[in-house]
Amino acid sequence: MSHLSLDALEGKLDACLSKDRHALQSALWRLRREQREGREGRENREGKTSEDFARRLDTLRERMAASLAAVQVRRLLVPAITYPPQLPVSQRVEDIKQLLREHQVVIIAGET
C-alpha cells in the first residue's frame, strides 16, 4: 500500500460533504498512522491484519465516493435563477447585482 493512495484520498476530502469530512478524515488518519507504523502488513495491537486494513481502506474509498456523488447530485439540483419580466425588479437586475458586489448590505424597496 503506497502513500500515494492515501494522499489521493486526502486530496479529495475538501470536495466531500462537510458533514462527512470529519469522520472521513479520522478514518484516513487512522489508516495513515497504521501505515506509518508498519502495521498494515501484519497483525496490529487490536489483532487486525492487513486484510482488515485493506477492507477498511476499501470502505473509506466507498464512503468517500458516496459523499462525492452526493455533492454532484446537490449541484445538479440547484435551480436556475430566473427573473420574470413581469416583475418590476427584473428591469434593474444588473444594477442590483452591481450593488451587491460593492456593498455588504443592500435594501431594496418598492411596490409588490
Side-chain angles (χ1 to χ4, degrees):
M1 157 69 118
S2 71
H3 286 284
L4 294 177
S5 180
L6 292 177
D7 290 342
L9 290 175
E10 189 169 19
K12 295 178 182 181
L13 278 174
D14 286 340
C16 292
L17 291 172
S18 59
K19 73 178 187 80
D20 295 336
R21 285 183 199 146
H22 179 72
L24 292 170
Q25 187 173 46
S26 294
L28 181 66
W29 285 350
R30 281 191 299 274
L31 290 172
R32 190 179 294 280
R33 184 180 64 235
E34 284 184 28
Q35 183 183 55
R36 187 176 52 247
E37 293 173 1
R39 291 186 284 151
E40 82 277 9
R42 62 182 190 277
E43 191 171 294
N44 63 19
R45 284 180 265 177
E46 294 85 32
K48 295 177 181 173
T49 63
S50 60
E51 184 177 294
D52 294 320
F53 183 89
R55 182 182 44 75
R56 286 183 292 130
L57 179 59
D58 288 341
T59 299
L60 176 61
R61 284 185 181 130
E62 290 168 7
R63 289 174 51 203
M64 191 170 283
S67 185
L68 292 167
V71 168
Q72 290 303 316
V73 168
R74 285 187 179 188
R75 285 187 178 142
L76 292 173
L77 294 176
V78 173
I81 298 173
T82 60
Y83 306 99
Q86 65 270 25
L87 296 177
V89 74
S90 294
Q91 299 167 7
R92 305 287 305 268
V93 168
E94 293 306 316
D95 295 336
I96 294 169
K97 285 181 183 179
Q98 184 62 34
L99 288 169
L100 288 169
R101 281 190 285 274
E102 295 172 359
H103 305 283
Q104 285 185 332
V105 177
V106 175
I107 299 173
I108 300 173
E111 294 182 35
T112 57

